[in-house]
Amino acid sequence: AQKVTQAQTEISVVEKEDVTLDCVYETRDTTYYLFWYKQPPSGELVFLIRRNSFDEQNEISGRYSWNFQKSTSSFNFTITASQVVDSAVYFCALRDSNYQLIWGAGTKLIIKP
Amino acid sequence: DGGITQSPKYLFRKEGQNVTLSCEQNLNHDAMYWYRQDPGQGLRLIYYSQIVNDFQKGDIAEGYSVSREKKESFPLTVTSAQKNPTAFYLCASSFQSGGGASNEQFFGPGTLLTVL
């Protein structure tokens, strides 16, 4: 069965600390896509990154970085030098063979000034 | 500017009334989706549509109905049969699935429906 687990319900850190959000997935497909979305307090989901199953290269975008490891079925997200504006709920998702997104429950990230 | 519009942001209805939530996109996307989000929860798929005049049930379709008469529009009706309709509803769209496309979904601002 397809499944995405975000075990961290809520994380709270002080500004400028680094923080990693975990995402573990389950799938029998050999071709799949993984996504991260950000949901700020306004409610709209913002697309952050897409990664396909054949590309295990880590990606860095400014203060954001993603670590994809097929061996552990994980796609973790790290924010370096966190800022208050990073406070949001972050969702990890898996695109299954039916082309639908399987969503994790989300991790609420609180960055304290 | 291209994007997805959902209106209104906040909607109140009395119990037993049907209510229709609007979703419009001008991104020329083929596929559109409706999700429900409850407090502290992830997203659950209600309905989706890959092309005009066709739509499929998602995981929690009971008590909801949709139509897709135009490519740009995918309204969702919350019927009186939905036992617990108070929730945050998100509409999304993407290019058509398949062909190896990753079809990331783009989201509207959402509508918070409160049934009194």
Side-chain angles (χ1 to χ4, degrees):
Chain A
Q2 320 274 5
K3 186 179 179 181
V4 175
T5 301
Q6 295 180 255
Q8 303 151 309
T9 304
E10 183 174 308
I11 301 175
S12 181
V13 300
V14 176
E15 197 172 21
K16 298 183 182 177
E17 288 185 11
D18 298 347
V19 58
T20 296
L21 283 61
D22 298 332
C23 174
V24 175
Y25 62 92
E26 296 176 27
T27 181
R28 294 177 182 170
D29 295 337
T30 55
T31 301
Y32 53 90
Y33 288 85
L34 294 162
F35 301 80
W36 275 95
Y37 282 83
K38 174 182 180 180
Q39 186 177 37
S42 61
E44 182 173 346
L45 269 79
V46 178
F47 166 75
L48 295 178
I49 191 171
R50 172 191 71 238
R51 173 63 77 228
N52 75 55
S53 54
F54 297 106
D55 182 3
E56 288 194 69
Q57 276 192 328
N58 291 333
E59 178 149 343
I60 298 174
S61 176
R63 296 183 297 105
Y64 295 172
S65 63
W66 289 269
N67 184 304
F68 176 34
Q69 293 199 348
K70 289 179 74 172
S71 60
T72 56
S73 297
S74 65
F75 186 43
N76 297 337
F77 173 34
T78 297
I79 300 175
T80 302
S82 60
Q83 299 176 3
V84 173
V85 293
D86 295 326
S87 296
V89 180
Y90 291 86
F91 290 97
C92 180
L94 165 72
R95 194 204 78 175
D96 71 2
S97 53
N98 293 319
Y99 308 110
Q100 302 312 312
L101 289 179
I102 310 299
W103 294 85
T107 296
K108 183 176 183 179
L109 178 62
I110 300 170
I111 310 296
K112 299 176 182 177
Chain B
D1 290 336
I4 302 173
T5 303
Q6 290 185 248
S7 61
K9 179 69 174 177
Y10 302 96
L11 190 56
F12 297 89
R13 280 294 181 271
K14 292 183 179 180
E15 192 173 352
Q17 289 182 334
N18 291 355
V19 59
T20 297
L21 311 183
S22 72
C23 178
E24 305 278 333
Q25 55 96 3
N26 60 3
L27 300 169
N28 199 32
H29 284 165
D30 304 293
M32 297 186 75
Y33 311 81
W34 273 107
Y35 291 94
R36 170 180 172 139
Q37 185 179 26
D38 293 285
Q41 304 292 318
L43 278 67
R44 292 186 290 170
L45 183 64
I46 305 172
Y47 269 98
Y48 64 99
S49 168
Q50 302 282 26
I51 56 173
V52 174
N53 292 322
D54 186 54
F55 47 83
Q56 307 295 328
K57 292 182 179 180
D59 301 320
I60 55 166
E62 186 175 350
Y64 299 97
S65 65
V66 293
S67 63
R68 187 85 187 278
E69 297 176 1
K70 298 187 300 181
K71 186 176 183 178
E72 302 79 16
S73 180
F74 190 41
L76 172 74
T77 297
V78 184
T79 74
S80 56
Q82 169 51 232
K83 296 180 180 178
N84 187 17
T86 294
F88 188 55
Y89 290 88
L90 284 157
C91 178
S93 68
S94 71
F95 288 111
Q96 192 171 13
S97 308
S102 62
N103 72 313
E104 60 259 37
Q105 296 179 13
F106 295 87
F107 285 80
T111 293
L112 181 60
L113 173 64
T114 302
V115 175
L116 306 172

